[in-house]
Amino acid sequence: MSWRFSRFRVADTLIELRTGVLFRQHRQVRFDRIQAVDLGRPLLARLTGLSEVVVQSAGGKDSHLKLSFLTDAQAQQVREQLMALAGRSDEAAGAWASAADEDAGHVRADASGLTEADYADLPAPAPVGDRVLAIPNSRILQSVLYSGPGLAIVVAVPALVVSVALGVPEMVAWLGPMTLAIGSAHLKRLTQECNFELVHQGDRLRIRHGLTDLRTTTVPIHRIQAVEVSQSLPWRLTGWWRIQVNVAGAGTGDAETQTVLMPVGNREEALRVLTLVHPGIPRDAALAALEGAGTAHGFVTSTARARRLDPLSWGRQGYAVLPDGLLTRRGAWYRAAQFVPHARIQSLRLEQGPVQRRRGVATVRLVSTVGPVSPAVAHLDETDAVRLLNEQVVRSSRARQRA
């Protein structure tokens, strides 16, 4: 019944979807509001050769439009057509008519409302592009096990087995729920990040990932607002890094599909992705942000008065002003480097708690769009913090005017 009453139509300026039997729903997304067009292939859909087209709009996850399901070839064609129309939304696009009722003599090809003849008129899929990354599944599995919670599971599971064998209900009651909670979260991450592939296609990046639910996501490069390259303590032994980004229009619910550009990779792979997203970052400055300390390569670091507040990484925390944006770094055990273009900084905030006031230091927070990246420079000297705040306001204003 749901298939029988589902239709979509691509008009001159928008795509619309009508669904529902008893409760009707009519959704529209204008081409100039489309953020990305993704493909989803859950396990059962893959077994039957079907795909889901997800049209992501600027309104967030609740405003997304889903076409479930089309054949894989049709879904590929519809996605490429929508991306082309979204890229030139100011031009007139030919209207696609939805299928009429069956008694009018039209052939109903599928729930889309398009016939086979309509699909024949669609353009062929765009070229595959340049593959930037292809992460082996064995590395994905190792990265999950080498994390802090992953190591906890390695210890907890044998302890749980021993507790059951010895008949210690108190230990089972404590270890069981903890192991289940941590294990389910890591299993979800493992199934999402397997088969990871990053492809560069002109002005956009295409992310393909998933084990049981295979998804293909398109991220326009110009919508990336901030990028973070991070390394946990266990990954220091393997030299692995993780890259996450804030994407305009993508809410927190889209984090697993749009905001991870590299789930795990070595330093050279991390630099390759970082310079692909922001070509203006010099290699020596990027290396200093990832692994360096002190004031080399133009970095301004925390004052020595912050030693008691952050005894391990006070000499590493800081920022460097680049022509295109602000580069920040933090952490000694958990390392992180962040880059925010000047024009993409939404606002700035200076924070100073009572302990910071006594030490004469302050924190400058750079407010970006919703996402996993929260840029900040902690424990700067008060004078340096105020100067950064005032100068960055001017830099961001001029960059937005140029943009």
Side-chain angles (χ1 to χ4, degrees):
M1 294 295 291
S2 175
W3 170 86
R4 179 66 182 83
F5 287 90
S6 296
R7 281 182 170 83
F8 78 88
R9 182 173 73 98
V10 180
D12 290 345
T13 59
L14 55 84
I15 176 174
E16 53 183 326
L17 171 68
R18 296 177 184 269
T19 58
V21 181
L22 298 178
F23 299 94
R24 301 289 180 87
Q25 187 178 75
H26 181 197
R27 286 199 170 196
Q28 296 179 344
V29 179
R30 297 201 320 267
F31 296 146
D32 59 353
R33 302 290 289 174
I34 292 179
Q35 305 292 318
V37 183
D38 304 337
L39 289 186
R41 302 196 69 192
L43 182 59
L44 291 180
R46 292 169 65 185
L47 294 177
T48 53
L50 301 178
S51 293
E52 174 187 55
V53 180
V54 182
V55 183
Q56 300 190 19
S57 69
K61 188 174 183 180
D62 292 337
S63 62
H64 293 351
L65 186 149
K66 295 184 179 181
L67 310 178
S68 305
F69 288 86
L70 306 176
T71 66
D72 187 54
Q74 293 168 346
Q76 295 275 1
Q77 290 178 320
V78 170
R79 180 184 64 179
E80 296 302 330
Q81 179 73 359
L82 290 177
M83 290 300 298
L85 292 172
R88 58 175 191 269
S89 58
D90 55 335
E91 299 179 3
W96 292 354
S98 60
D101 294 336
E102 292 182 3
D103 55 10
H106 289 185
V107 179
R108 184 184 181 88
D110 49 48
S112 68
L114 296 180
T115 66
E116 294 295 341
D118 295 322
Y119 286 112
D121 295 334
L122 296 180
V128 175
D130 300 325
R131 178 187 288 181
V132 182
L133 290 175
I135 308 298
N137 288 340
S138 58
R139 189 194 298 177
I140 299 289
L141 176 60
Q142 292 174 22
S143 69
V144 172
L145 294 178
Y146 289 174
S147 64
L151 295 176
I153 293 178
V154 173
V155 176
V157 170
L160 183 62
V161 173
V162 172
S163 300
V164 172
L166 297 179
V168 186
E170 295 83 1
M171 290 295 294
V172 175
W174 177 66
L175 286 174
M178 182 192 72
T179 305
L180 181 62
I182 299 176
S184 60
H186 275 61
L187 180 62
K188 179 181 179 182
R189 174 180 167 183
L190 180 64
T191 56
Q192 287 176 348
E193 296 181 352
C194 278
N195 300 318
F196 189 91
E197 183 182 66
L198 180 66
V199 177
H200 181 213
Q201 286 187 313
D203 61 347
R204 51 182 166 163
L205 300 174
R206 180 159 295 174
I207 304 171
R208 179 179 177 271
H209 62 95
L211 186 61
T212 57
D213 186 357
L214 186 62
R215 290 200 168 269
T216 303
T217 304
T218 302
V219 179
I221 295 178
H222 70 276
R223 295 193 182 275
I224 296 178
Q225 307 293 301
V227 58
E228 178 182 79
V229 187
S230 59
Q231 182 185 60
S232 62
L233 180 60
W235 285 13
R236 296 279 296 276
L237 301 176
T238 56
W240 289 338
W241 297 85
R242 180 180 179 87
I243 297 182
Q244 294 177 286
V245 294
N246 291 350
V247 180
T252 54
D254 302 314
E256 71 276 8
T257 60
Q258 281 190 273
T259 61
V260 178
L261 292 190
M262 188 180 76
V264 55
N266 56 41
R267 187 181 67 179
E268 292 303 317
E269 291 171 334
L271 292 174
R272 189 191 316 159
V273 176
L274 185 61
T275 54
L276 176 65
V277 176
H278 296 292
I281 303 178
R283 180 181 174 86
D284 55 354
L287 288 174
L290 294 181
E291 301 175 347
T295 59
H297 304 290
F299 271 87
V300 178
T301 60
S302 300
T303 176
R305 292 193 299 274
R307 188 191 300 268
R308 292 186 179 180
L309 299 176
D310 200 350
L312 296 178
S313 61
W314 68 271
R316 171 173 160 77
Q317 292 191 132
Y319 71 93
V321 179
L322 301 181
D324 296 333
L326 198 67
L327 185 62
T328 69
R329 67 186 184 194
R330 70 169 188 269
W333 288 357
Y334 179 90
R335 293 178 175 177
Q338 301 155 331
F339 180 80
V340 189
H342 295 311
R344 307 294 169 81
I345 297 177
Q346 305 296 314
S347 63
L348 294 100
R349 186 168 67 244
L350 191 145
E351 302 174 350
Q352 190 179 45
V355 178
Q356 287 181 312
R357 284 198 296 270
R358 290 180 57 186
R359 305 299 300 176
V361 299
T363 296
V364 177
R365 196 167 298 278
L366 314 175
V367 181
S368 179
T369 54
V370 176
V373 184
S374 300
V377 187
H379 309 324
L380 289 175
D381 183 85
E382 286 180 343
T383 304
D384 293 336
V386 173
R387 183 173 65 251
L388 172 61
L389 185 73
N390 294 333
E391 293 179 352
Q392 190 57 49
V393 168
V394 177
R395 282 191 291 263
S396 296
S397 177
R398 291 176 177 173
R400 281 191 290 268
Q401 290 174 2
R402 289 194 299 269

